[in-house]
Amino acid sequence: MTTQTKSPKSVEQRTDVTIRFAGDSGDGMQLTGTQFTRTSAIFGNDISTFPDYPAEIRAPAGTLAGVSGFQVHFGSEELHTPGDDVDTLVAFNPAALKKNIADVVDGGLVIVNEDSFGATDLKKAGFEANPLEDNSLSKYRLIRIPATKLTKEALKDSPLGARAVDRCKNFFALGLVSWLYGRPLEPVVEWIDRKFGKNPDVADANKAVLKVGHAFGETCEFFEHTYRVDKASLPPGRYRRIAGNEATALGLIAAANLAGKDLFYGSYPITPASDVLHALSRYKHFRVKTFQAEDEIAAIASAIGAAFTGDLSTTGTSGPGLALKGEALGLAVMTELPLVIVNVQRGGPSTGLPTKTEQADLFQAMYGRNGECPLVVISANSPSDCFDAAIEACRIAIRHMTPVILLTDGYIANGEEPWSIPDVSKLAKIEVKHPTELNSNGDGEPHYLPYKRDENLVRPWAIPGTPNLQHRIGGLEKQDGTGNVNYEPMNHQHMIDTRAKKVALVAKDIPEQGVEGPEEGDVLVVGWGGTYGALKSACQRVRAQGKKVAHCHIRHLNPFPSNLGDVLKRYKKVLVAELNCGQLRFILRASFLVDAAGLNKVQGKPFLISEVENKINELLAK
């Protein structure tokens, strides 16, 4: 153990702090980080989190491939990202230290469980020498704690077995860090009682170790001072912390209620979208029907069937699953049925990086189907925004009788932030009209015309079983109006043009594109999806330096807002920042002939604020 000082501890005031808990996938890092986040939210801080899961299932313990991490950024001011530099790293083994140390700020705290730095542990992590003893960590404040030993000592009289005792050491770290940053223990104790109420031995052991970790911090002489982060001044309202996947699920439920519809969600489990299915399955009492299909094709086929019968129909997946859904997506476009497809993007191609984030499915969403097959594409920009984006996707799907792809990503799906719980009475109703009477095709005889269109080229949505409204539906080309199968060349051209124009007309029903910052200037930073927080923060930083930089974040990706071209022309330079190799930039160049520069990253990680800020300053310097 490394003794830092014997002087009384002072309290250092901080506006925000970033902590990362890292260890083996069996060390409970996600639980530790989640509980620290929950406590900070109850305390009143603004929070933003970034869970980082290992991609391999049951990777060998102690190896780099098996490292699991959880980063939490909490503060007394409004936060938009889980933090750039790590102020405190809690590393449970050498692999966790090796994989995460480069992100720690110079002078930052590095707390390690020194009991896990044996020769075998070091070898598994690829260390030739013990980093705790070779001075390689000299630029950090290294705190060596025998967490395993202290946990065993605290539980020497517990009836739990040795392995169960060892699993409690994450609560030692949680207690210690809670003391260090002035977090109360009561919320964690209450959670332990709820979680392990049926197993009192486990509950008692975890509570005991939690309190031992807290007491250790109070009595040891390893820390120069503790830290204080005051409550944040958030707008008045009722708040709860929420992850993106849960917000998506609640948004879909809310949309169904606003439309007076049952919600159907047909899905096949896939990382990182599975939690949407898990969340929805708990709300059957809200007219929610979930179906875990045998594969991706069956999942979307069931959703198309549910849309035909009149449900608000949805399905969810990630990139590889969206590829499998492609043919059936064409069927939904051809039949012109309302359907929402949630794509929680991950690193690709193929299986790629299942647990890492990326936003490289834009081309797939825009063009990834056979034939001329346009549909609406929108994106969510933060965990809490997934709620509003889900409602918007459902509203457009119903009003315009079209499939809508909602793009989120692994970062915002698993990340958490405070969510101001909306007043449901103020949410706009989604109007649904189902025809009940026959109409005419102009020959004086009453008919039902399933493809008779309104001024927005939207066809009616007749419920099967409605008397006299029998109609043909399927994947073969239709005759406009009647819906009969038709192979005539000019009819095909007409229907292709009509479906494309119908999607384009959605632009009349969405807000104009706004910007944050000056209405004209030197640089416009354009983004979409989960990059919102980093781009917003970077632009705020450079504007604080007196620079004329604005931020334009696009929710509606197809069709674009009607004024987007004009917005792009008001700035000398346009920078498109996205977690891919330039997909939105390619589309903007083609659509508006704008000479946009790109900031691109495909590392399975979100942007750092500093990365965006540096690129903006580089453009300004030119």
Side-chain angles (χ1 to χ4, degrees), residues 10-56:
S10 60
V11 178
E12 179 179 314
Q13 186 78 34
R14 297 287 298 271
T15 58
D16 66 298
V17 171
T18 300
I19 301 175
R20 185 179 299 173
F21 300 92
D24 197 72
S25 57
D27 285 335
M29 295 298 93
Q30 304 302 321
L31 186 153
T32 305
T34 298
Q35 289 307 308
F36 188 88
T37 300
R38 178 175 174 271
T39 302
S40 296
I42 293 172
F43 182 79
N45 297 130
D46 197 6
I47 56 171
S48 181
T49 71
F50 180 44
D52 188 17
Y53 303 95
E56 295 186 23

Side-chain angles (χ1 to χ4, degrees), residues 261-333:
K261 288 287 183 182
D262 288 358
L263 176 68
F264 179 87
Y265 187 81
S267 185
Y268 180 74
I270 183 171
T271 302
S274 299
D275 283 342
V276 179
L277 174 62
H278 299 160
L280 287 172
S281 68
R282 297 193 291 267
Y283 291 100
K284 293 181 175 63
H285 54 297
F286 284 106
R287 297 170 62 186
V288 176
K289 296 175 280 190
T290 54
F291 170 55
Q292 181 174 318
E294 64 268 29
D295 55 41
E296 295 282 5
I297 300 172
I300 189 170
S302 67
I304 292 172
F308 179 56
T309 64
D311 284 350
L312 174 54
S313 192
T314 60
T315 184
T317 188
S318 191
L322 188 62
L324 293 169
K325 294 180 187 292
E327 182 182 358
L329 262 176
L331 174 61
V333 169

Side-chain angles (χ1 to χ4, degrees), residues 260-566:
K261 288 287 183 182
D262 288 358
L263 176 68
F264 179 87
Y265 187 81
S267 185
Y268 180 74
I270 183 171
T271 302
S274 299
D275 283 342
V276 179
L277 174 62
H278 299 160
L280 287 172
S281 68
R282 297 193 291 267
Y283 291 100
K284 293 181 175 63
H285 54 297
F286 284 106
R287 297 170 62 186
V288 176
K289 296 175 280 190
T290 54
F291 170 55
Q292 181 174 318
E294 64 268 29
D295 55 41
E296 295 282 5
I297 300 172
I300 189 170
S302 67
I304 292 172
F308 179 56
T309 64
D311 284 350
L312 174 54
S313 192
T314 60
T315 184
T317 188
S318 191
L322 188 62
L324 293 169
K325 294 180 187 292
E327 182 182 358
L329 262 176
L331 174 61
V333 169
M334 178 68 79
T335 55
E336 299 185 47
L337 286 167
L339 175 66
V340 172
I341 307 94
V342 180
N343 177 10
V344 187
Q345 300 166 95
R346 71 190 206 189
S350 185
T351 309
L353 307 175
T355 62
K356 310 301 179 184
T357 195
E358 207 164 277
Q359 50 175 182
D361 292 352
L362 180 57
F363 279 168
Q364 183 184 33
M366 293 284 285
Y367 313 119
R369 295 163 295 282
N370 67 295
E372 296 290 341
C373 193
L375 44 69
V376 175
V377 182
I378 72 172
S379 65
N381 61 41
S382 72
S384 61
D385 184 58
C386 289
F387 177 83
D388 297 317
I391 294 176
E392 173 74 347
C394 295
R395 182 186 69 85
I396 292 174
I398 290 174
R399 183 175 295 182
H400 295 273
M401 289 293 286
T402 179
V404 177
I405 292 180
L406 170 59
L407 295 173
T408 71
D409 59 57
Y411 161 49
I412 59 177
N414 294 320
E416 293 184 341
E417 65 181 1
W419 177 47
S420 178
I421 301 173
D423 182 348
V424 294
S425 66
K426 295 181 180 179
L427 296 176
K429 297 293 184 182
I430 298 176
E431 185 179 6
V432 180
K433 295 180 180 178
H434 295 300
T436 57
E437 298 178 353
L438 296 172
N439 46 37
S440 173
N441 63 358
D443 61 4
E445 294 294 326
H447 301 278
Y448 173 60
L449 300 175
Y451 285 82
K452 181 180 176 62
R453 303 179 185 278
D454 65 13
E455 68 277 7
N456 291 317
L457 303 181
V458 177
R459 80 170 188 87
W461 187 13
I463 302 301
T466 305
N468 302 315
L469 300 191
Q470 299 92 334
H471 58 284
R472 184 188 301 273
I473 197 166
L476 294 173
E477 185 59 282
K478 305 289 180 289
Q479 182 183 55
D480 210 4
T482 68
N484 294 331
V485 175
N486 189 298
Y487 295 111
E488 295 177 5
M490 295 312 296
N491 177 75
H492 182 52
Q493 180 77 58
H494 169 72
M495 292 298 286
I496 290 292
D497 294 341
T498 299
R499 287 188 288 264
K501 188 175 181 181
K502 184 182 79 164
V503 170
L505 286 172
V506 173
K508 294 169 37 180
D509 195 29
I510 61 177
E512 290 192 340
Q513 183 64 49
V515 300
E516 297 182 41
E519 291 296 318
E520 58 183 28
D522 295 321
V523 175
L524 178 66
V525 180
V526 179
W528 64 279
T531 60
Y532 175 78
L535 305 192
K536 178 184 178 75
S537 299
C539 290
Q540 287 177 336
R541 285 185 184 180
V542 294
R543 281 200 301 273
Q545 302 165 14
K547 299 168 182 176
K548 298 184 69 174
V549 175
H551 173 209
C552 167
H553 216 75
I554 304 174
R555 178 191 291 284
H556 298 91
L557 296 161
N558 192 45
F560 286 128
S562 58
N563 68 325
L564 180 58
D566 293 333

Side-chain angles (χ1 to χ4, degrees), residues 71-149:
Q71 182 165 312
V72 54
H73 187 197
F74 62 102
S76 56
E77 299 178 348
E78 187 178 12
L79 306 177
H80 306 295
T81 75
D84 275 16
D85 298 321
V86 175
D87 299 299
T88 298
L89 171 65
V90 180
F92 267 64
N93 61 20
L97 177 68
K98 187 171 188 177
K99 194 166 184 178
N100 293 281
I101 190 62
D103 296 332
V104 180
V105 66
D106 288 357
L109 273 175
V110 177
I111 303 172
V112 299
N113 176 19
E114 65 178 358
D115 292 335
S116 66
F117 279 72
T120 302
D121 304 302
L122 294 168
K123 183 177 180 181
K124 287 181 179 179
F127 281 111
E128 295 182 359
N130 190 337
L132 307 186
E133 299 171 352
D134 65 1
N135 207 38
S136 62
L137 302 176
S138 59
K139 66 178 181 179
Y140 310 106
R141 288 179 288 160
L142 176 64
I143 308 294
R144 299 170 56 174
I145 295 174
T148 303
K149 179 181 177 181

